[in-house]
Amino acid sequence: MFNFWELVRMEYRKLFQRKLVWVTAILLTAMTIFAGLSALLGDVYVNGEKVDTHANMLRTDSGYARRLSGELLDDSLLDKMQEAYGKVPEDAEIYTATREYQQYARPYSEIYNFVLRIANNRWNTISAGEMYDLRRAAVEQGWTKLLLSEAEKEYLSGQEEQLKLPLTYRYDDGYTNYLSVLYMVALLMMLGVSVCVPQIFSEEYSRKTAPLIASSSFGKKPLYLAKAFTGLTFSLGLALLLAVAAAASVFSVYGTDGFSAALQLDYPMLSWRLTVGKAALLLFGVYLLSSLLFAAVAMVLSLVFRGSAPPMAILLGYLLLTGVFHIPDEYRILSQIWSYLPVNSANLTSALSQRLLQVGGSFFAGWQVICLLYPVTAAILLLAGYRKYRRLPS
């Protein structure tokens, strides 16, 4: 019986003997931490004069937002915001630089910005009832733009009916910023996988040690399993490293308040009855699954080309393509498939898109499709990879 764990240990030893692996992991981790802490850097200037630092502005605004946590977004809170912003001079060139804004309006800036996303310039006259009606109308208009079927609209209407209105405002900047930075972290993770993982299979051909494997009494199967396990676990480990680095830096700046905040506070046009904390966990799960799928693709490509350079070029080209290419929503099927692909799926608006997959009388959101699609696709690729590996000449 072959020693599986000894083979895995040897594969990891060979992998970590490469300086490129260490340099890549350290560089990507540093970039992730920097992205999480970047909001603290720099100063704020008005008319060429320094008036504050970004770090102090963030602390001040976070303090004001935390004081509002727990208040209902109803007429009472809107009246307070409208009264406060009504004291800001209308003819001010930079209204945020006025004394009235700093003293009266700034403590309600979070409420003001929320209303602006829904009601635009009606912030000073709108009631809470009108605001929620405008939101619902905009949501349904969005369904039409996404070319949703009547069955999808009916399903999402049921989700809308379950939302608890009026919403309760909660400070949740830690989770919203983590959701934002996770897309960039996914790009960095896949960059690291593209650089490191193809070498796991290509090494035996670049060093011409493949004949030794063929002469082994156990053949190629044990080594394939060990290499595949190494590639998958390395990718998952790198993904966890970057995700934890991002979480540590983001939450150290913004705090962990607001796990129970309604998703609609930050994404008002989504209909899902989720908290922002649960949405962060869902996206984190999608991100981890994408690391496994990307690892499987990298390993199979390295088997096809028997080298690490072509797979790296193909995967980096794919990352570049996803960053610059977009399929318009009017091409419903293609656009929906595009949103399921790794990197794109790490975007919350893709994972929690209103476009659903209908199977019989059941509906599945993007993240649910991905949770089934990625493991199955990775397993199929690895099985195909084994068939290729077994038939490769020694």
Side-chain angles (χ1 to χ4, degrees):
M1 189 67 183
F2 66 91
N3 192 330
F4 175 78
W5 296 112
E6 181 64 20
L7 290 174
V8 171
R9 186 185 68 80
M10 292 176 62
E11 290 299 326
Y12 264 111
R13 185 173 64 185
K14 288 190 294 182
L15 191 61
F16 284 115
Q17 282 176 347
R18 293 178 175 269
K19 293 181 180 179
L20 181 62
V21 172
W22 286 101
V23 171
T24 300
I26 293 171
L27 182 61
L28 296 182
T29 303
M31 292 173 66
T32 300
I33 294 172
F34 176 79
L37 300 177
S38 60
L40 298 176
L41 306 177
D43 300 317
V44 180
Y45 291 84
V46 175
N47 295 327
E49 295 185 9
K50 177 182 174 181
V51 296
D52 207 344
T53 65
H54 284 128
N56 187 59
M57 284 188 66
L58 190 149
R59 283 192 293 269
T60 301
D61 290 329
S62 297
Y64 287 141
R66 285 187 169 99
R67 293 176 197 173
L68 294 172
S69 281
E71 291 200 33
L72 292 175
L73 267 163
D74 56 10
D75 285 326
S76 175
L77 187 55
L78 291 190
D79 288 343
K80 293 177 184 177
M81 178 273 292
Q82 290 164 354
E83 180 182 358
Y85 271 80
K87 295 179 180 180
V88 179
E90 295 182 2
D91 58 348
E93 183 179 355
I94 304 176
Y95 79 95
T96 56
T98 63
R99 178 185 61 82
E100 290 83 1
Y101 171 80
Q102 296 295 331
Q103 184 174 350
Y104 302 110
R106 189 174 180 182
Y108 294 94
S109 59
E110 286 289 306
I111 310 304
Y112 173 78
N113 291 329
F114 175 79
V115 175
L116 278 186
R117 290 201 295 270
I118 298 172
N120 295 322
N121 59 356
R122 289 190 56 196
W123 64 267
N124 57 339
T125 59
I126 198 169
S127 67
E130 291 173 326
M131 179 181 68
Y132 290 118
D133 287 342
L134 281 176
R135 176 198 164 273
R136 179 61 184 267
V139 167
E140 294 182 357
Q141 185 179 10
W143 296 346
T144 301
K145 289 181 178 179
L146 289 173
L147 305 179
L148 301 190
S149 66
E150 291 302 319
E152 286 175 302
K153 293 178 182 178
E154 183 178 351
Y155 178 83
L156 291 171
S157 292
Q159 295 289 316
E160 283 285 333
E161 296 304 322
Q162 295 180 46
L163 295 179
K164 187 177 180 180
L165 301 179
L167 298 173
T168 299
Y169 175 77
R170 298 190 189 282
Y171 170 79
D172 61 358
D173 283 7
Y175 295 97
T176 56
N177 280 279
Y178 186 69
L179 286 168
S180 298
V181 80
L182 199 56
Y183 176 77
M184 185 212 73
V185 174
L187 283 171
L188 294 179
M189 175 271 293
M190 293 180 189
L191 174 62
V193 171
S194 302
V195 171
C196 300
V197 170
Q199 301 178 54
I200 294 174
F201 276 98
S202 65
E203 183 182 45
E204 64 195 53
Y205 292 98
S206 62
R207 294 189 177 184
K208 298 181 180 181
T209 58
L212 296 176
I213 299 169
S215 64
S216 168
S217 59
F218 293 111
K220 294 182 176 181
K221 183 178 180 180
L223 190 58
Y224 179 82
L225 292 175
K227 284 177 175 290
F229 181 83
T230 301
L232 293 174
T233 53
F234 173 83
S235 300
L236 186 62
L238 179 63
L240 284 170
L241 172 65
L242 298 183
V244 169
S249 56
V250 168
F251 289 119
S252 68
V253 173
Y254 298 97
T256 58
D257 319 38
F259 185 93
S260 61
L263 185 65
Q264 286 71 29
L265 289 173
D266 305 287
Y267 301 89
M269 300 309 154
L270 293 181
S271 301
W272 305 109
R273 190 168 178 258
L274 286 172
T275 68
V276 70
K278 290 180 179 179
L281 291 177
L282 287 178
L283 201 64
F284 175 69
V286 168
Y287 161 79
L288 293 183
L289 288 175
S290 68
S291 72
L292 297 177
L293 177 58
F294 216 68
V297 173
M299 288 187 285
V300 171
L301 286 176
S302 69
L303 284 172
V304 171
F305 292 99
R306 285 195 275 177
S308 59
M312 188 186 307
I314 291 172
L315 295 175
L316 293 179
Y318 166 78
L319 293 180
L320 179 62
L321 180 65
T322 56
V324 300
F325 188 66
H326 171 71
I327 298 179
D329 293 332
E330 53 262 32
Y331 301 102
R332 166 68 194 266
I333 297 177
L334 289 176
S335 180
Q336 191 165 352
I337 293 173
W338 186 251
S339 71
Y340 293 156
L341 296 181
V343 179
N344 295 335
S345 62
N347 188 322
L348 183 71
T349 54
S350 293
L352 293 178
S353 172
Q354 311 280 46
R355 294 178 299 195
L356 309 174
L357 177 66
Q358 184 175 0
V359 180
S362 301
F363 294 89
F364 299 92
W367 68 270
Q368 293 171 313
V369 175
I370 289 165
C371 286
L372 176 63
L373 180 65
Y374 282 14
V376 170
T377 304
I380 292 172
L381 286 172
L382 291 174
L383 287 173
Y386 174 65
R387 292 173 63 87
K388 178 70 175 178
Y389 187 69
R390 188 178 59 184
R391 296 174 181 176
L392 284 175
S394 300

